Amino acid sequence: MSAYGATPGPGDSGGPPAVGDADGPPAAGIPDEPLAALAAHGPRYRLGLGSPPQGETDWLAADRLLDPYGPELSRLLDTEHRGSGHRTAHAAALTLIAVYAGRVTAAAVLHWALTGRVLDVRPENVLLRPDPGHGIAGVRLRTFRMLDGSGTGAETIQHVVLTRHLLPLADALRKRTRAGLRQLRGGVAHGCATALAASSADPAQLARRWTAFLDGAPGGLAPLGDVVTVTRRDGTPRLVYLRRTCCLFYTSAEAVRCVSCCLTSRDERIAAYAARP
C-alpha cells in the first residue's frame, strides 16, 4: 500500500479552479528546431513529444497530480520517498517539488527567458516519468504549442508555469503531507531559478529575466531566495540561486546538503558554486 494513501476530505475536488488561458493553435509540423535548441542546453531541458513509447507504462499525467488524494500523486511521492531514502512524508514532498520545478517546467522557463515565447506546459499537456533513484527521468508534451499572451511582460509564463501548474501542485502536496507552504513554494522558486541557472546562456540576461519572472508573480516567491553570478574555476561566469528555505534533503539517506542550502552560510555557498568545474 502507498505510504501516502488517504481518503479525500469533504469538498476536496483535487485540482485548481478553472481560470482563463492564453491559447493558440498547435504548431505546424514536428518542432525539431526548438526542441533540439532546448536539448542543447542540457538533459534537464529535453522534451519528448506525443504518447510514450509502447511498453513504457510508468508515465504520469501532470494534471492528475493536482488531486492531493489521487493515485498518481501517491506514485510520485512513493517513488521519491524510496529513491531518496527520506524518513518523513513532508521531507519527501519538499525535495520532490524542487526537483519537479527544476525539470518538468524548466524548458518552458528557459525558452521564455531566451525568446520571450511561452511553451505550453500546462499540466493537461504534460506527461512525466518518475526516476526510481531520485527526481524526474523524463518529460513529454502531448502537443507542441506556443501560448502567446497579450502582454509584453511575464504574465503568460507566470500563468502557465505558476498559476496553472507548480503552485497547485504545491498546494496538493501541502494537503497530502502537511509540508509547510512557504517551504514548498521555496522549492518552486528554487526549481524555476535553476531552470535558468543550469543553462550556459549569458548570466546577465538570465538575471534580468529572473527579475522579470518574479515581478508580480503569484505565490510570494521573490523573498524566498536570490540569484548571484559566480566565476567558476574555468573562468566562465554562471548564475546561481541561494535559497532561503530548506528542502530537507540533508535528512535523506544521502545525508548531504544541497549546494544552495540555506543552512550553509552565504559565503560558503558562493565559494562552493565557484569551485565547480
Side-chain angles (χ1 to χ4, degrees):
M1 179 180 292
S2 166
Y4 301 92
T7 302
D12 282 324
S13 60
V19 292
D21 293 316
D23 215 337
I30 301 299
D32 292 328
E33 186 175 340
L35 292 186
L38 282 166
H41 286 274
R44 80 171 60 238
Y45 307 105
R46 291 176 185 159
L47 298 172
L49 191 61
S51 299
Q54 192 171 13
E56 293 185 3
T57 60
D58 53 348
W59 289 81
L60 301 175
D63 56 335
R64 300 299 297 271
L65 300 173
L66 306 187
D67 177 358
Y69 307 105
E72 291 81 5
L73 189 59
S74 292
R75 266 184 60 195
L76 189 60
L77 276 165
D78 281 341
T79 303
E80 185 63 37
H81 200 161
R82 290 193 305 269
S84 297
H86 271 298
R87 297 176 176 85
T88 65
H90 78 274
L94 293 176
T95 293
L96 174 61
I97 192 67
V99 297
Y100 187 104
R103 175 64 177 98
V104 176
T105 55
V109 174
L110 181 64
H111 190 70
W112 166 79
L114 298 179
T115 71
R117 303 201 70 193
V118 178
L119 192 61
D120 185 1
V121 290
R122 292 174 296 182
E124 62 268 25
N125 195 42
V126 174
L127 301 169
L128 58 117
R129 193 180 197 188
D131 189 325
H134 167 55
I136 307 298
V139 181
R140 303 184 71 86
L141 303 179
R142 297 182 188 273
T143 303
F144 184 87
R145 180 185 288 111
M146 292 293 178
L147 304 175
D148 294 319
S150 57
T152 58
E155 295 89 352
T156 303
I157 189 71
Q158 291 168 349
H159 177 73
V160 171
V161 169
L162 298 176
T163 304
R164 286 295 307 275
H165 200 147
L166 298 180
L167 294 179
L169 179 59
D171 288 341
L173 289 168
R174 177 183 59 82
K175 290 179 182 178
R176 190 60 173 271
T177 69
R178 298 188 179 181
L181 187 58
R182 183 176 184 273
Q183 287 175 287
L184 286 164
R185 290 183 173 180
V188 169
H190 178 226
C192 290
T194 299
L196 302 183
S199 165
S200 59
D202 175 26
Q205 178 188 3
L206 296 176
R208 290 193 297 270
R209 297 303 274 167
W210 178 243
T211 298
F213 181 80
L214 291 179
D215 186 20
L221 304 186
L224 303 181
D226 63 298
V227 295
V228 298
T229 300
V230 301
T231 302
R232 290 190 170 177
R233 288 187 297 175
D234 62 2
T236 59
R238 293 295 290 265
L239 194 72
V240 301
Y241 184 73
L242 305 177
R243 297 186 63 153
R244 296 194 183 106
T245 64
C246 183
C247 71
L248 298 183
F249 192 66
Y250 76 95
T251 68
S252 72
E254 291 195 29
V256 295
R257 293 183 185 180
C258 304
V259 181
S260 64
C261 183
C262 61
L263 300 179
T264 305
S265 75
R266 182 182 180 88
D267 288 344
E268 287 178 288
R269 285 181 280 171
I270 290 174
Y273 275 120
R276 287 184 162 186

